[in-house]
Amino acid sequence: MGDLPDRFAGSLLGTALGDSIGASDWGRALARRGIIDPDAQPLGILPYTDDTHMTIGVAESLIERRGLDVDHMARRFAENYEREPFRGYGPGPPRIFRLMRAGVDWREAALRVYPGGSFGNGAAMRAAPLGLFYFDDLEALRRAVEEASRITHAHPLGIEGAVLQAAAVALAVRSGDGSPLDPGEFLGALRGLASQAVYIGKLEAIERLLKEGPDPGRVVLELGNGIEAFNSVPTAIFSFLANRDSFEGAVLYAVGLGGDSDTIGAMTGAISGAYLGAKALPRSWLAELEGADRLERLASALLEAKYGAGPILRRST
Ligand code: F2R
Ligand code: MG
């Protein structure tokens, strides 16, 4: 396998860049102008939001436990939230973390906040480290993502969105190795993991929209740009596939679709960064990204944890 460290770093840094570009006025204005300029200089630091904060929690837990330990991950989410509650979390997860703090098991808390579970995109937006850790085994990936999603998102649509997002990251890591990516094969592999009608329909729509052209109005109409997993995960997959040779092209296209722009940007950045690698990310954006060094260290420790070699990174305080 080619340059795995570069692709692991690309996916975590790509998540944070997509998140922070999509959350910033500067990034959204750049996206609206429709000019893809990798040298465009952000107006000051690019702070990340809950998308990246939770992605960090997933990575930390996978590293410390050398794989999925779902109770450990649930505790880590709650601890990280208590340290930095200002990251712009969606409505549900903080309520779950407060119930956990009051002694309620997360399995019960997740179903108390949304009977039947949440179908928001919060499990999908944090799924990149799971896609990286399990990139070489889609069945193990599916099982791990299902389990990890249930901590906050127990609804089948929230879970399947996370599985598809993690699998897209995994397939991007695999196919960034030399031969050009075949969108039909990529979508076919995702289709093999989908069981919910809305995702099956949207994966078919992605294939058609790739042939018809990336008209943003049509894409939003058919795939969505909302906070629900089924209205944002397919949109991120399309944004990547329609702009697969350019990280900034993919992220600015995603952010320009509007709606939940930080999360669609984050998920697109995670897939594109996994495919193109960290070396393809714009230097001028990375220079301003909050936590870039920490994300690089986490990517490297995640790879070490996967293959069982080298020092294990403990959480930084
Ligand atoms: N939403 C934000 N940021 C705005 C928060 C602002 C904050 N007050 C501040 O500035 O500090 N961003 C983040 O939210 C999205 C991820 O959300 P998540 O984690 O999935 O949240 P939740 O609450 O589980 O679901 C989101 C909404 O989906 C609808 N929904 C979900 N399940 C439902 C169900 N079973 N029945 C009905 N509706 C359901 C609800 O409208 C939920 O509020 C990301 O964008 C992240 O960046
Ligand atoms: Mg968001």
Side-chain angles (χ1 to χ4, degrees), residues 19 49-51 54 85-93 113-123 125-126 152-153 155 227-228 260 262-263:
D19 172 17
T49 77
D50 61 325
D51 304 66
M54 291 207 80
F86 53 82
R87 292 282 178 190
Y89 276 73
V113 169
Y114 293 103
S118 169
F119 52 65
N121 56 19
M125 75 188 187
R126 67 182 189 231
T152 50
H153 291 70
H155 194 287
I227 197 170
E228 304 82 9
D260 194 358
D262 57 315
T263 298

PDB file of all heavy atoms in Angstrom, residues 19 49-51 54 85-93 113-123 125-126 152-153 155 227-228 260 262-263, ligand 1:
ATOM      1  N   ASP A  19     -14.619  21.398   7.825  1.00  0.00           N
ATOM      2  CA  ASP A  19     -15.442  21.883   8.936  1.00  0.00           C
ATOM      3  C   ASP A  19     -15.216  23.389   9.137  1.00  0.00           C
ATOM      4  O   ASP A  19     -16.169  24.194   9.153  1.00  0.00           O
ATOM      5  CB  ASP A  19     -15.035  21.071  10.179  1.00  0.00           C
ATOM      6  CG  ASP A  19     -15.639  21.562  11.474  1.00  0.00           C
ATOM      7  OD1 ASP A  19     -16.631  22.319  11.436  1.00  0.00           O
ATOM      8  OD2 ASP A  19     -15.130  21.171  12.553  1.00  0.00           O
ATOM      9  N   THR A  49     -15.116  23.042  14.689  1.00  0.00           N
ATOM     10  CA  THR A  49     -16.348  22.949  15.486  1.00  0.00           C
ATOM     11  C   THR A  49     -16.542  21.512  15.993  1.00  0.00           C
ATOM     12  O   THR A  49     -15.594  20.724  15.995  1.00  0.00           O
ATOM     13  CB  THR A  49     -17.575  23.427  14.676  1.00  0.00           C
ATOM     14  OG1 THR A  49     -17.955  22.398  13.760  1.00  0.00           O
ATOM     15  CG2 THR A  49     -17.287  24.715  13.913  1.00  0.00           C
ATOM     16  N   ASP A  50     -17.768  21.211  16.385  1.00  0.00           N
ATOM     17  CA  ASP A  50     -18.051  19.882  16.970  1.00  0.00           C
ATOM     18  C   ASP A  50     -17.707  18.723  16.041  1.00  0.00           C
ATOM     19  O   ASP A  50     -17.361  17.639  16.516  1.00  0.00           O
ATOM     20  CB  ASP A  50     -19.519  19.798  17.399  1.00  0.00           C
ATOM     21  CG  ASP A  50     -20.484  19.966  16.238  1.00  0.00           C
ATOM     22  OD1 ASP A  50     -20.194  20.747  15.311  1.00  0.00           O
ATOM     23  OD2 ASP A  50     -21.552  19.321  16.262  1.00  0.00           O
ATOM     24  N   ASP A  51     -17.779  18.946  14.731  1.00  0.00           N
ATOM     25  CA  ASP A  51     -17.460  17.856  13.792  1.00  0.00           C
ATOM     26  C   ASP A  51     -16.047  17.335  14.060  1.00  0.00           C
ATOM     27  O   ASP A  51     -15.816  16.125  14.187  1.00  0.00           O
ATOM     28  CB  ASP A  51     -17.523  18.370  12.342  1.00  0.00           C
ATOM     29  CG  ASP A  51     -18.856  18.983  12.008  1.00  0.00           C
ATOM     30  OD1 ASP A  51     -19.188  20.034  12.583  1.00  0.00           O
ATOM     31  OD2 ASP A  51     -19.571  18.407  11.185  1.00  0.00           O
ATOM     32  N   MET A  54     -15.498  15.958  17.819  1.00  0.00           N
ATOM     33  CA  MET A  54     -15.934  14.566  18.022  1.00  0.00           C
ATOM     34  C   MET A  54     -15.064  13.584  17.241  1.00  0.00           C
ATOM     35  O   MET A  54     -14.839  12.449  17.681  1.00  0.00           O
ATOM     36  CB  MET A  54     -17.409  14.415  17.658  1.00  0.00           C
ATOM     37  CG  MET A  54     -18.327  15.137  18.632  1.00  0.00           C
ATOM     38  SD  MET A  54     -19.963  14.407  18.745  1.00  0.00           S
ATOM     39  CE  MET A  54     -19.666  13.026  19.846  1.00  0.00           C
ATOM     40  N   PRO A  85     -17.437  22.740  25.715  1.00  0.00           N
ATOM     41  CA  PRO A  85     -18.853  22.690  25.306  1.00  0.00           C
ATOM     42  C   PRO A  85     -19.225  23.739  24.267  1.00  0.00           C
ATOM     43  O   PRO A  85     -20.327  23.715  23.722  1.00  0.00           O
ATOM     44  CB  PRO A  85     -19.600  22.962  26.625  1.00  0.00           C
ATOM     45  CG  PRO A  85     -18.634  23.721  27.459  1.00  0.00           C
ATOM     46  CD  PRO A  85     -17.257  23.248  27.084  1.00  0.00           C
ATOM     47  N   PHE A  86     -18.270  24.629  23.961  1.00  0.00           N
ATOM     48  CA  PHE A  86     -18.555  25.777  23.080  1.00  0.00           C
ATOM     49  C   PHE A  86     -18.370  25.453  21.597  1.00  0.00           C
ATOM     50  O   PHE A  86     -18.390  26.347  20.769  1.00  0.00           O
ATOM     51  CB  PHE A  86     -17.611  26.935  23.438  1.00  0.00           C
ATOM     52  CG  PHE A  86     -16.154  26.526  23.445  1.00  0.00           C
ATOM     53  CD1 PHE A  86     -15.429  26.471  22.262  1.00  0.00           C
ATOM     54  CD2 PHE A  86     -15.532  26.176  24.636  1.00  0.00           C
ATOM     55  CE1 PHE A  86     -14.098  26.074  22.266  1.00  0.00           C
ATOM     56  CE2 PHE A  86     -14.191  25.776  24.648  1.00  0.00           C
ATOM     57  CZ  PHE A  86     -13.476  25.727  23.458  1.00  0.00           C
ATOM     58  N   ARG A  87     -18.188  24.183  21.245  1.00  0.00           N
ATOM     59  CA  ARG A  87     -17.827  23.851  19.862  1.00  0.00           C
ATOM     60  C   ARG A  87     -18.996  23.849  18.877  1.00  0.00           C
ATOM     61  O   ARG A  87     -18.825  23.523  17.713  1.00  0.00           O
ATOM     62  CB  ARG A  87     -17.138  22.485  19.821  1.00  0.00           C
ATOM     63  CG  ARG A  87     -15.761  22.469  20.487  1.00  0.00           C
ATOM     64  CD  ARG A  87     -14.719  23.088  19.589  1.00  0.00           C
ATOM     65  NE  ARG A  87     -13.410  23.122  20.218  1.00  0.00           N
ATOM     66  CZ  ARG A  87     -12.369  23.784  19.714  1.00  0.00           C
ATOM     67  NH1 ARG A  87     -12.490  24.444  18.576  1.00  0.00           N
ATOM     68  NH2 ARG A  87     -11.227  23.804  20.326  1.00  0.00           N
ATOM     69  N   GLY A  88     -20.199  24.192  19.339  1.00  0.00           N
ATOM     70  CA  GLY A  88     -21.348  24.234  18.426  1.00  0.00           C
ATOM     71  C   GLY A  88     -21.986  22.873  18.207  1.00  0.00           C
ATOM     72  O   GLY A  88     -22.366  22.522  17.086  1.00  0.00           O
ATOM     73  N   TYR A  89     -22.095  22.101  19.290  1.00  0.00           N
ATOM     74  CA  TYR A  89     -22.706  20.760  19.197  1.00  0.00           C
ATOM     75  C   TYR A  89     -24.160  20.852  18.761  1.00  0.00           C
ATOM     76  O   TYR A  89     -24.862  21.826  19.074  1.00  0.00           O
ATOM     77  CB  TYR A  89     -22.636  20.070  20.561  1.00  0.00           C
ATOM     78  CG  TYR A  89     -21.312  19.379  20.833  1.00  0.00           C
ATOM     79  CD1 TYR A  89     -20.169  20.124  21.122  1.00  0.00           C
ATOM     80  CD2 TYR A  89     -21.203  18.001  20.782  1.00  0.00           C
ATOM     81  CE1 TYR A  89     -18.950  19.493  21.361  1.00  0.00           C
ATOM     82  CE2 TYR A  89     -19.988  17.349  21.013  1.00  0.00           C
ATOM     83  CZ  TYR A  89     -18.872  18.109  21.298  1.00  0.00           C
ATOM     84  OH  TYR A  89     -17.678  17.492  21.521  1.00  0.00           O
ATOM     85  N   GLY A  90     -24.628  19.826  18.061  1.00  0.00           N
ATOM     86  CA  GLY A  90     -26.043  19.698  17.740  1.00  0.00           C
ATOM     87  C   GLY A  90     -26.829  19.541  19.035  1.00  0.00           C
ATOM     88  O   GLY A  90     -26.254  19.342  20.105  1.00  0.00           O
ATOM     89  N   PRO A  91     -28.163  19.609  18.948  1.00  0.00           N
ATOM     90  CA  PRO A  91     -28.982  19.619  20.168  1.00  0.00           C
ATOM     91  C   PRO A  91     -28.910  18.327  20.985  1.00  0.00           C
ATOM     92  O   PRO A  91     -28.911  18.372  22.218  1.00  0.00           O
ATOM     93  CB  PRO A  91     -30.411  19.815  19.640  1.00  0.00           C
ATOM     94  CG  PRO A  91     -30.285  20.210  18.217  1.00  0.00           C
ATOM     95  CD  PRO A  91     -28.937  19.776  17.729  1.00  0.00           C
ATOM     96  N   GLY A  92     -28.842  17.156  20.332  1.00  0.00           N
ATOM     97  CA  GLY A  92     -28.991  15.895  21.040  1.00  0.00           C
ATOM     98  C   GLY A  92     -27.800  15.473  21.891  1.00  0.00           C
ATOM     99  O   GLY A  92     -27.963  15.162  23.084  1.00  0.00           O
ATOM    100  N   PRO A  93     -26.586  15.413  21.324  1.00  0.00           N
ATOM    101  CA  PRO A  93     -25.461  14.838  22.085  1.00  0.00           C
ATOM    102  C   PRO A  93     -25.224  15.471  23.458  1.00  0.00           C
ATOM    103  O   PRO A  93     -25.033  14.727  24.439  1.00  0.00           O
ATOM    104  CB  PRO A  93     -24.273  15.010  21.120  1.00  0.00           C
ATOM    105  CG  PRO A  93     -24.915  14.894  19.769  1.00  0.00           C
ATOM    106  CD  PRO A  93     -26.230  15.606  19.911  1.00  0.00           C
ATOM    107  N   VAL A 113     -33.490  10.715  24.565  1.00  0.00           N
ATOM    108  CA  VAL A 113     -33.466  12.039  23.926  1.00  0.00           C
ATOM    109  C   VAL A 113     -34.268  12.030  22.630  1.00  0.00           C
ATOM    110  O   VAL A 113     -35.035  12.953  22.356  1.00  0.00           O
ATOM    111  CB  VAL A 113     -31.994  12.477  23.693  1.00  0.00           C
ATOM    112  CG1 VAL A 113     -31.928  13.696  22.801  1.00  0.00           C
ATOM    113  CG2 VAL A 113     -31.327  12.774  25.045  1.00  0.00           C
ATOM    114  N   TYR A 114     -34.096  11.002  21.821  1.00  0.00           N
ATOM    115  CA  TYR A 114     -34.917  10.835  20.609  1.00  0.00           C
ATOM    116  C   TYR A 114     -35.478   9.415  20.639  1.00  0.00           C
ATOM    117  O   TYR A 114     -34.720   8.464  20.393  1.00  0.00           O
ATOM    118  CB  TYR A 114     -34.094  10.996  19.322  1.00  0.00           C
ATOM    119  CG  TYR A 114     -33.567  12.380  19.093  1.00  0.00           C
ATOM    120  CD1 TYR A 114     -32.238  12.682  19.330  1.00  0.00           C
ATOM    121  CD2 TYR A 114     -34.392  13.395  18.611  1.00  0.00           C
ATOM    122  CE1 TYR A 114     -31.738  13.952  19.118  1.00  0.00           C
ATOM    123  CE2 TYR A 114     -33.907  14.672  18.394  1.00  0.00           C
ATOM    124  CZ  TYR A 114     -32.584  14.941  18.653  1.00  0.00           C
ATOM    125  OH  TYR A 114     -32.096  16.196  18.442  1.00  0.00           O
ATOM    126  N   PRO A 115     -36.771   9.243  20.946  1.00  0.00           N
ATOM    127  CA  PRO A 115     -37.331   7.884  20.920  1.00  0.00           C
ATOM    128  C   PRO A 115     -37.081   7.275  19.535  1.00  0.00           C
ATOM    129  O   PRO A 115     -37.370   7.898  18.519  1.00  0.00           O
ATOM    130  CB  PRO A 115     -38.827   8.109  21.165  1.00  0.00           C
ATOM    131  CG  PRO A 115     -38.878   9.436  21.890  1.00  0.00           C
ATOM    132  CD  PRO A 115     -37.748  10.262  21.327  1.00  0.00           C
ATOM    133  N   GLY A 116     -36.474   6.126  19.500  1.00  0.00           N
ATOM    134  CA  GLY A 116     -36.109   5.519  18.204  1.00  0.00           C
ATOM    135  C   GLY A 116     -34.724   5.937  17.751  1.00  0.00           C
ATOM    136  O   GLY A 116     -34.205   5.436  16.761  1.00  0.00           O
ATOM    137  N   GLY A 117     -34.118   6.894  18.460  1.00  0.00           N
ATOM    138  CA  GLY A 117     -32.747   7.307  18.134  1.00  0.00           C
ATOM    139  C   GLY A 117     -32.695   8.499  17.200  1.00  0.00           C
ATOM    140  O   GLY A 117     -33.662   8.812  16.512  1.00  0.00           O
ATOM    141  N   SER A 118     -31.513   9.146  17.159  1.00  0.00           N
ATOM    142  CA  SER A 118     -31.324  10.314  16.284  1.00  0.00           C
ATOM    143  C   SER A 118     -30.905   9.892  14.883  1.00  0.00           C
ATOM    144  O   SER A 118     -30.077   8.995  14.718  1.00  0.00           O
ATOM    145  CB  SER A 118     -30.232  11.233  16.863  1.00  0.00           C
ATOM    146  OG  SER A 118     -29.881  12.221  15.906  1.00  0.00           O
ATOM    147  N   PHE A 119     -31.496  10.569  13.884  1.00  0.00           N
ATOM    148  CA  PHE A 119     -31.020  10.399  12.506  1.00  0.00           C
ATOM    149  C   PHE A 119     -30.263  11.639  12.022  1.00  0.00           C
ATOM    150  O   PHE A 119     -30.098  11.855  10.824  1.00  0.00           O
ATOM    151  CB  PHE A 119     -32.155  10.015  11.543  1.00  0.00           C
ATOM    152  CG  PHE A 119     -33.374  10.908  11.589  1.00  0.00           C
ATOM    153  CD1 PHE A 119     -33.316  12.243  11.215  1.00  0.00           C
ATOM    154  CD2 PHE A 119     -34.603  10.373  11.969  1.00  0.00           C
ATOM    155  CE1 PHE A 119     -34.451  13.049  11.241  1.00  0.00           C
ATOM    156  CE2 PHE A 119     -35.753  11.175  12.000  1.00  0.00           C
ATOM    157  CZ  PHE A 119     -35.670  12.520  11.632  1.00  0.00           C
ATOM    158  N   GLY A 120     -29.786  12.459  12.969  1.00  0.00           N
ATOM    159  CA  GLY A 120     -28.920  13.580  12.592  1.00  0.00           C
ATOM    160  C   GLY A 120     -27.591  13.062  12.032  1.00  0.00           C
ATOM    161  O   GLY A 120     -27.282  11.874  12.109  1.00  0.00           O
ATOM    162  N   ASN A 121     -26.804  14.005  11.469  1.00  0.00           N
ATOM    163  CA  ASN A 121     -25.543  13.588  10.829  1.00  0.00           C
ATOM    164  C   ASN A 121     -24.354  13.546  11.798  1.00  0.00           C
ATOM    165  O   ASN A 121     -23.205  13.426  11.381  1.00  0.00           O
ATOM    166  CB  ASN A 121     -25.226  14.470   9.611  1.00  0.00           C
ATOM    167  CG  ASN A 121     -25.183  15.962   9.963  1.00  0.00           C
ATOM    168  OD1 ASN A 121     -25.034  16.330  11.126  1.00  0.00           O
ATOM    169  ND2 ASN A 121     -25.320  16.809   8.949  1.00  0.00           N
ATOM    170  N   GLY A 122     -24.649  13.612  13.110  1.00  0.00           N
ATOM    171  CA  GLY A 122     -23.571  13.677  14.098  1.00  0.00           C
ATOM    172  C   GLY A 122     -22.701  12.432  14.195  1.00  0.00           C
ATOM    173  O   GLY A 122     -21.525  12.523  14.573  1.00  0.00           O
ATOM    174  N   ALA A 123     -23.242  11.242  13.892  1.00  0.00           N
ATOM    175  CA  ALA A 123     -22.393  10.040  13.907  1.00  0.00           C
ATOM    176  C   ALA A 123     -21.554   9.977  12.627  1.00  0.00           C
ATOM    177  O   ALA A 123     -20.396   9.552  12.653  1.00  0.00           O
ATOM    178  CB  ALA A 123     -23.244   8.789  14.062  1.00  0.00           C
ATOM    179  N   MET A 125     -20.508  12.582  10.807  1.00  0.00           N
ATOM    180  CA  MET A 125     -19.493  13.648  10.732  1.00  0.00           C
ATOM    181  C   MET A 125     -18.209  13.290  11.468  1.00  0.00           C
ATOM    182  O   MET A 125     -17.154  13.827  11.178  1.00  0.00           O
ATOM    183  CB  MET A 125     -20.057  14.965  11.283  1.00  0.00           C
ATOM    184  CG  MET A 125     -20.163  14.991  12.792  1.00  0.00           C
ATOM    185  SD  MET A 125     -21.036  16.449  13.405  1.00  0.00           S
ATOM    186  CE  MET A 125     -20.774  16.216  15.182  1.00  0.00           C
ATOM    187  N   ARG A 126     -18.292  12.344  12.417  1.00  0.00           N
ATOM    188  CA  ARG A 126     -17.118  11.963  13.224  1.00  0.00           C
ATOM    189  C   ARG A 126     -16.543  10.613  12.806  1.00  0.00           C
ATOM    190  O   ARG A 126     -15.672  10.063  13.491  1.00  0.00           O
ATOM    191  CB  ARG A 126     -17.520  11.913  14.708  1.00  0.00           C
ATOM    192  CG  ARG A 126     -18.500  10.793  15.044  1.00  0.00           C
ATOM    193  CD  ARG A 126     -18.926  10.777  16.495  1.00  0.00           C
ATOM    194  NE  ARG A 126     -19.676   9.592  16.827  1.00  0.00           N
ATOM    195  CZ  ARG A 126     -20.862   9.585  17.439  1.00  0.00           C
ATOM    196  NH1 ARG A 126     -21.441  10.712  17.780  1.00  0.00           N
ATOM    197  NH2 ARG A 126     -21.457   8.442  17.714  1.00  0.00           N
ATOM    198  N   THR A 152     -24.715   7.936  20.329  1.00  0.00           N
ATOM    199  CA  THR A 152     -25.552   9.149  20.241  1.00  0.00           C
ATOM    200  C   THR A 152     -26.633   9.052  19.156  1.00  0.00           C
ATOM    201  O   THR A 152     -27.591   9.823  19.190  1.00  0.00           O
ATOM    202  CB  THR A 152     -24.681  10.376  19.899  1.00  0.00           C
ATOM    203  OG1 THR A 152     -23.871  10.044  18.766  1.00  0.00           O
ATOM    204  CG2 THR A 152     -23.796  10.777  21.080  1.00  0.00           C
ATOM    205  N   HIS A 153     -26.461   8.157  18.197  1.00  0.00           N
ATOM    206  CA  HIS A 153     -27.352   8.126  17.025  1.00  0.00           C
ATOM    207  C   HIS A 153     -27.824   6.694  16.784  1.00  0.00           C
ATOM    208  O   HIS A 153     -27.227   5.961  15.989  1.00  0.00           O
ATOM    209  CB  HIS A 153     -26.640   8.677  15.789  1.00  0.00           C
ATOM    210  CG  HIS A 153     -26.387  10.149  15.874  1.00  0.00           C
ATOM    211  ND1 HIS A 153     -25.478  10.705  16.743  1.00  0.00           N
ATOM    212  CD2 HIS A 153     -26.966  11.192  15.213  1.00  0.00           C
ATOM    213  CE1 HIS A 153     -25.493  12.019  16.616  1.00  0.00           C
ATOM    214  NE2 HIS A 153     -26.393  12.348  15.698  1.00  0.00           N
ATOM    215  N   HIS A 155     -30.797   5.699  15.593  1.00  0.00           N
ATOM    216  CA  HIS A 155     -31.767   5.486  14.502  1.00  0.00           C
ATOM    217  C   HIS A 155     -31.063   4.823  13.307  1.00  0.00           C
ATOM    218  O   HIS A 155     -29.932   5.207  12.966  1.00  0.00           O
ATOM    219  CB  HIS A 155     -32.351   6.847  14.075  1.00  0.00           C
ATOM    220  CG  HIS A 155     -33.576   6.724  13.227  1.00  0.00           C
ATOM    221  ND1 HIS A 155     -33.536   6.307  11.912  1.00  0.00           N
ATOM    222  CD2 HIS A 155     -34.888   6.953  13.504  1.00  0.00           C
ATOM    223  CE1 HIS A 155     -34.762   6.301  11.413  1.00  0.00           C
ATOM    224  NE2 HIS A 155     -35.605   6.671  12.366  1.00  0.00           N
ATOM    225  N   ILE A 227     -29.291  18.854   8.045  1.00  0.00           N
ATOM    226  CA  ILE A 227     -28.616  18.311   9.232  1.00  0.00           C
ATOM    227  C   ILE A 227     -28.877  16.806   9.405  1.00  0.00           C
ATOM    228  O   ILE A 227     -28.193  16.136  10.168  1.00  0.00           O
ATOM    229  CB  ILE A 227     -29.087  19.107  10.482  1.00  0.00           C
ATOM    230  CG1 ILE A 227     -28.165  18.923  11.671  1.00  0.00           C
ATOM    231  CG2 ILE A 227     -30.499  18.742  10.864  1.00  0.00           C
ATOM    232  CD1 ILE A 227     -28.479  19.875  12.824  1.00  0.00           C
ATOM    233  N   GLU A 228     -29.872  16.275   8.651  1.00  0.00           N
ATOM    234  CA  GLU A 228     -30.163  14.845   8.758  1.00  0.00           C
ATOM    235  C   GLU A 228     -29.095  14.060   7.985  1.00  0.00           C
ATOM    236  O   GLU A 228     -28.646  14.506   6.928  1.00  0.00           O
ATOM    237  CB  GLU A 228     -31.553  14.527   8.160  1.00  0.00           C
ATOM    238  CG  GLU A 228     -32.700  15.314   8.774  1.00  0.00           C
ATOM    239  CD  GLU A 228     -32.856  16.726   8.185  1.00  0.00           C
ATOM    240  OE1 GLU A 228     -32.188  17.046   7.176  1.00  0.00           O
ATOM    241  OE2 GLU A 228     -33.630  17.521   8.756  1.00  0.00           O
ATOM    242  N   ASP A 260     -26.151  22.823   5.938  1.00  0.00           N
ATOM    243  CA  ASP A 260     -25.226  22.407   7.014  1.00  0.00           C
ATOM    244  C   ASP A 260     -23.802  22.375   6.443  1.00  0.00           C
ATOM    245  O   ASP A 260     -23.178  21.314   6.339  1.00  0.00           O
ATOM    246  CB  ASP A 260     -25.660  21.047   7.547  1.00  0.00           C
ATOM    247  CG  ASP A 260     -24.982  20.718   8.869  1.00  0.00           C
ATOM    248  OD1 ASP A 260     -24.154  21.531   9.338  1.00  0.00           O
ATOM    249  OD2 ASP A 260     -25.282  19.646   9.430  1.00  0.00           O
ATOM    250  N   ASP A 262     -20.754  23.357   7.335  1.00  0.00           N
ATOM    251  CA  ASP A 262     -19.556  22.883   8.036  1.00  0.00           C
ATOM    252  C   ASP A 262     -19.487  21.357   8.030  1.00  0.00           C
ATOM    253  O   ASP A 262     -18.420  20.768   7.808  1.00  0.00           O
ATOM    254  CB  ASP A 262     -19.499  23.423   9.481  1.00  0.00           C
ATOM    255  CG  ASP A 262     -20.716  23.051  10.298  1.00  0.00           C
ATOM    256  OD1 ASP A 262     -21.831  23.184   9.785  1.00  0.00           O
ATOM    257  OD2 ASP A 262     -20.551  22.613  11.448  1.00  0.00           O
ATOM    258  N   THR A 263     -20.635  20.719   8.221  1.00  0.00           N
ATOM    259  CA  THR A 263     -20.626  19.254   8.302  1.00  0.00           C
ATOM    260  C   THR A 263     -20.495  18.610   6.929  1.00  0.00           C
ATOM    261  O   THR A 263     -19.769  17.619   6.762  1.00  0.00           O
ATOM    262  CB  THR A 263     -21.881  18.776   9.047  1.00  0.00           C
ATOM    263  OG1 THR A 263     -21.808  19.314  10.377  1.00  0.00           O
ATOM    264  CG2 THR A 263     -21.964  17.271   9.115  1.00  0.00           C
TER     265      THR A 263
HETATM  266  N1  F2R B   1     -26.297  22.052  14.775  1.00  0.00           N
HETATM  267  C1  F2R B   1     -25.146  22.404  14.803  1.00  0.00           C
HETATM  268  N2  F2R B   1     -24.802  23.570  15.275  1.00  0.00           N
HETATM  269  C2  F2R B   1     -25.773  24.474  15.740  1.00  0.00           C
HETATM  270  C3  F2R B   1     -25.698  24.459  17.213  1.00  0.00           C
HETATM  271  C4  F2R B   1     -25.490  25.815  17.683  1.00  0.00           C
HETATM  272  C5  F2R B   1     -25.138  25.776  19.113  1.00  0.00           C
HETATM  273  N3  F2R B   1     -26.256  26.085  19.920  1.00  0.00           N
HETATM  274  C6  F2R B   1     -23.981  26.697  19.336  1.00  0.00           C
HETATM  275  O1  F2R B   1     -23.728  27.600  18.559  1.00  0.00           O
HETATM  276  O2  F2R B   1     -23.256  26.438  20.276  1.00  0.00           O
HETATM  277  N4  F2R B   1     -24.117  21.678  14.386  1.00  0.00           N
HETATM  278  C7  F2R B   1     -23.937  20.356  14.670  1.00  0.00           C
HETATM  279  O3  F2R B   1     -25.194  19.673  14.541  1.00  0.00           O
HETATM  280  C8  F2R B   1     -25.111  18.685  13.497  1.00  0.00           C
HETATM  281  C9  F2R B   1     -24.992  17.332  14.095  1.00  0.00           C
HETATM  282  O4  F2R B   1     -26.126  17.172  14.868  1.00  0.00           O
HETATM  283  P1  F2R B   1     -26.345  15.831  15.657  1.00  0.00           P
HETATM  284  O5  F2R B   1     -25.171  15.559  16.505  1.00  0.00           O
HETATM  285  O6  F2R B   1     -26.753  14.776  14.719  1.00  0.00           O
HETATM  286  O7  F2R B   1     -27.544  16.290  16.553  1.00  0.00           O
HETATM  287  P2  F2R B   1     -28.973  15.637  16.834  1.00  0.00           P
HETATM  288  O8  F2R B   1     -29.679  16.505  17.807  1.00  0.00           O
HETATM  289  O9  F2R B   1     -28.807  14.213  17.204  1.00  0.00           O
HETATM  290  O10 F2R B   1     -29.743  15.657  15.420  1.00  0.00           O
HETATM  291  C10 F2R B   1     -29.806  16.837  14.654  1.00  0.00           C
HETATM  292  C11 F2R B   1     -31.253  17.204  14.283  1.00  0.00           C
HETATM  293  O11 F2R B   1     -31.829  16.209  13.460  1.00  0.00           O
HETATM  294  C12 F2R B   1     -33.228  16.120  13.746  1.00  0.00           C
HETATM  295  N5  F2R B   1     -33.523  14.755  14.244  1.00  0.00           N
HETATM  296  C13 F2R B   1     -32.618  13.811  14.503  1.00  0.00           C
HETATM  297  N6  F2R B   1     -33.232  12.686  14.906  1.00  0.00           N
HETATM  298  C14 F2R B   1     -34.535  12.916  14.900  1.00  0.00           C
HETATM  299  C15 F2R B   1     -35.694  12.121  15.207  1.00  0.00           C
HETATM  300  N7  F2R B   1     -35.598  10.846  15.603  1.00  0.00           N
HETATM  301  N8  F2R B   1     -36.905  12.708  15.089  1.00  0.00           N
HETATM  302  C16 F2R B   1     -37.022  13.985  14.671  1.00  0.00           C
HETATM  303  N9  F2R B   1     -35.969  14.796  14.357  1.00  0.00           N
HETATM  304  C17 F2R B   1     -34.745  14.261  14.480  1.00  0.00           C
HETATM  305  C18 F2R B   1     -33.533  17.154  14.817  1.00  0.00           C
HETATM  306  O12 F2R B   1     -33.930  18.347  14.183  1.00  0.00           O
HETATM  307  C19 F2R B   1     -32.182  17.324  15.471  1.00  0.00           C
HETATM  308  O13 F2R B   1     -32.049  18.549  16.104  1.00  0.00           O
HETATM  309  C20 F2R B   1     -23.917  19.038  12.712  1.00  0.00           C
HETATM  310  O14 F2R B   1     -24.277  19.978  11.748  1.00  0.00           O
HETATM  311  C21 F2R B   1     -23.008  19.651  13.718  1.00  0.00           C
HETATM  312  O15 F2R B   1     -22.072  20.510  13.131  1.00  0.00           O
END
